[in-house]
Amino acid sequence: MLVYLLRPWALGIMIVSSCVHVSGAANPARDATLKSESLTPNILFIYTDDQAPWAIEGKGPNAVTPNIQRLAEQGMSFPNAYTTTPVCSPSRAGLLTSRYGFELGIDDWINDNLKSKTLTGHQLDLGLSATVDSWPKKLQENGYYNGLIGKWHLGKQAEHHPQNFGYNEFTGFLGGGTSPADPQLLVNGVQEKETGLTVDILTDHAMDFLSRNRHKKFALSLHYRAPHYPFEPVSGSDLDAISDDVDLIHPDYPDLNTQRAKKLLRGYLASVKGIDRNVGRLLDHLDEVGLSENTVVIFTSDHGYVIGQNGIWHKGNGFWLLNTPPKGTENIPKGQRPNLYNAVLKVPLIVRWPGKVPAGTENTSTVSNLDFFPTLMDVAKLDIPSETVIRGQSVIKAFIDESVVVSTDYFAAYSTLHQSITGMRMYSDGQYKLVRDFKNKGRDEFYHLDGDPLETDNLLETELTDAEKKILKRLDDTIKKKMFELEDPLSVSYTPVHLKGR
């Protein structure tokens, strides 16, 4: 197995509002919670690629992440953070703009690689429109010096370049992926091949940015490529830290290919260990250059991941991980399992802000990727222009008080285009969850999360009680309302959820 050595250089609860704010018609002035303070902080936004919450020490078996744990001990964790679309491009677009992917013309990962398979066509010219507001752009307009290091995946054309979205500097790769080692990176507009592990190289560039700009007001986004597949090569020490015989979260799923699942899981967790090691380097570097006290550190991911849970692996565009996968359909080929399970929707989220965010705390609010735009505007004490459409909400109150729960429900949307063709929409109130697929009859799912957290028992395959029918209707009505409010292209396809025996 190829490995690389390390590079030597370098709750009293108050419900404030719903997390699925969708009007966007008029944006209120920023939260006044921190208005009296004059000093605005620097921002370090660490964004991993495909990291599930269970891939953190103490949250799932086998993970080894002492530095991420250190960050959590110094800040606040959010166990109910999630993304509105569990795949790269629409999730990243939502992070920047506080808009749903389908509003931006980005439903699925941007497939601009002619070697990649697609059922609907390649997207060589697709990207995020620079006319849409983004939080880096607003920070830049108000004196922040911004950098992006790592993955973009929001278009390769000149008009889609990160520097059109408020980033003063960009070092990384425009496409969806690069190698976990010896990557080709754009550095100041010049393509360069660097030697070593990509996770280490990106961290080196981040540390250089912090050193060069330590006397400026800055916002640095570090978008790791790990732990995206392929997971290896990894460093020898990172691989050695993971048990040879890892424990699966859902080992008893019928016909699961356990041998392959364990091999995938060990490589995945070793890749996560590489992230953790580099998070430690970053935290130490912030201390060394005197930036820790006035820098907000946010650690999160673009979406979750599964390896064996529910018999699949990957993310929202999942693959069956069975010895004998079920037959395919016209829209969903054999081997594919598109899904909106919580394991692919939920993401880790840790926020450290010395003197503001209470250390070693946890807040149970649901926080979506759409909430970062308005929240970071509050962090920087900036108002959002009234013409800017914002679908998320500021969660600044949750950041500074673990007892304030700003939301408990969540809404997601994913129309797969490449490996399968689906039109999935989901709503959960935190206790029950309904998933609809408006392009494939018979794929709706209804779960009672309190009693079935792994989402193994689809209640639509049983006779529902009268109480369950009422809950189902309420969730379905909410999905309908969200779709029509958002002018979702799939709203024309809406029909009420079908009950067994009806």
Side-chain angles (χ1 to χ4, degrees), residues 4 178-183 196-199 225 228-234:
Y4 275 70
T178 189
S179 169
D182 302 336
L197 292 171
T198 303
V199 68
R225 162 258 178 251
H228 194 288
Y229 186 83
F231 312 128
E232 300 175 73
V234 296

Side-chain angles (χ1 to χ4, degrees), residues 168-179:
N168 299 83
E169 298 182 18
F170 171 64
T171 296
F173 48 101
L174 296 174
T178 189
S179 169

Side-chain angles (χ1 to χ4, degrees), residues 188-206:
N188 296 321
V190 179
Q191 191 82 23
E192 296 183 5
K193 183 170 183 178
E194 305 205 22
T195 303
L197 292 171
T198 303
V199 68
D200 296 338
I201 292 169
L202 296 179
T203 304
D204 292 336
H205 283 291

